Amino acid sequence: QRLRTAMERQGALLALLLAAFAVSAFAARTNGGPSTFPYCNCWDNITGSGIVVDSFAISGQTLNFTIRSTNPRPLHPTCSQDLHKIEINTFDYCRWSKVSATLNGKPLKTPIFDSQGKSVWVPGVQIFKLYDLALSWADISAVPASFSITVGTAPGQRRCTSFSQLLNTTALAPIDMAFFSSDVKCCPHPPVTFYPPPPPPPPPPVPPPPPPP
C-alpha cells in the first residue's frame, strides 16, 4: 500500500511538471502568454516608468521601432540607469539567421543569437540580442532611440529569412522584448503589439468594352 501511494504521488508530480512544461513551451513558441521571458533574475516591472516602444513596424526585411522614456531615471534605483542590450524572444530554428542592425541610422555590432539555445529551459526558444548600445535613459528621455533590424534573405539551415518567421507577428499578439541595464539588474519588459499593415486596395474594375459601331 505504501509503495502504491508513493508511486501515485510520483505520478501526480510528474503530471504537474509535464503540464507546466507544456504551458511554458507553448508560451515561448507564440512569444506571448504566460512566458517567463526574460529568462533571468532581474527587475522587469516598468509600471509608471515611462518607457514606451513606439513606431513598431515591419517594412520588407526590416523591423523598425523607437524607444522613448518620459523619465531620465526610469529603472529600479539599485540598477544602472542605462540601456546596454536588447533581448528579443525568437525561435530556435532561426538561430543561424543573418541579421544586421542600426541605432539612429548608425550600424551596430552584428546582432547575435544566444550561443547556447534556451531549449534547456523552454523548448523552441532562442534569444536574439542587440548589445553594447551605450545609451543612458537620460539621453533617451531627451531624444528617442530609433532601431532598425534587417534580416538577410539568403536561405540556409536554421535560418529565417523574414520577420514573419523570426517573430510572432499575428495581429494583437505581444512580442517579447526586454531592455537590460549594463549591470544586468534591470530588464524592463514593455508590452509590444504589432499591427500588420492593411492589405492593398483591390484593383479598379475593368471598364466595359465600347459599344459596337
Side-chain angles (χ1 to χ4, degrees), residues 49-51 67-75 79-84 134-145:
S49 69
I51 298 173
I67 302 171
R68 63 182 176 87
S69 176
T70 59
N71 186 345
R73 297 182 61 83
L75 305 184
C79 301
S80 301
Q81 300 295 318
D82 58 7
L83 175 57
H84 172 67
L135 290 171
S136 72
W137 285 106
D139 293 338
I140 295 172
S141 68
V143 180

Side-chain angles (χ1 to χ4, degrees), residues 53-155:
V53 178
D54 276 335
S55 308
F56 192 93
I58 294 174
S59 176
Q61 304 304 118
T62 301
L63 165 67
N64 299 296
F65 61 93
T66 298
I67 302 171
R68 63 182 176 87
S69 176
T70 59
N71 186 345
R73 297 182 61 83
L75 305 184
H76 190 276
T78 64
C79 301
S80 301
Q81 300 295 318
D82 58 7
L83 175 57
H84 172 67
K85 69 174 177 175
I86 298 173
E87 290 192 357
I88 302 175
N89 204 18
T90 63
F91 300 112
D92 184 62
Y93 55 73
C94 295
R95 71 178 301 178
W96 293 337
S97 302
K98 300 298 183 182
V99 186
S100 59
T102 65
L103 167 59
N104 296 331
K106 297 180 180 179
L108 287 170
K109 291 183 178 180
T110 302
I112 59 174
F113 291 84
D114 243 12
S115 58
Q116 183 175 11
K118 291 293 181 181
S119 56
V120 174
W121 305 105
V122 184
V125 167
Q126 187 73 47
I127 301 303
F128 172 75
K129 300 178 182 180
L130 306 178
Y131 64 105
D132 283 353
L133 302 180
L135 290 171
S136 72
W137 285 106
D139 293 338
I140 295 172
S141 68
V143 180
S146 296
F147 291 85
S148 292
I149 305 173
T150 302
V151 60
T153 57

Side-chain angles (χ1 to χ4, degrees), residues 138-206:
D139 293 338
I140 295 172
S141 68
V143 180
S146 296
F147 291 85
S148 292
I149 305 173
T150 302
V151 60
T153 57
Q157 184 181 17
R158 295 179 76 177
R159 284 187 187 177
C160 292
T161 56
S162 71
F163 281 101
S164 61
Q165 297 172 334
L166 193 71
L167 299 174
N168 174 5
T169 53
T170 306
L172 304 182
I175 293 174
D176 281 335
M177 180 183 293
F179 305 146
F180 281 80
S181 57
S182 56
D183 56 11
V184 201
K185 291 180 181 179
C186 271
C187 53
H189 181 209
V192 179
T193 304
F194 173 71
Y195 296 90
V206 178

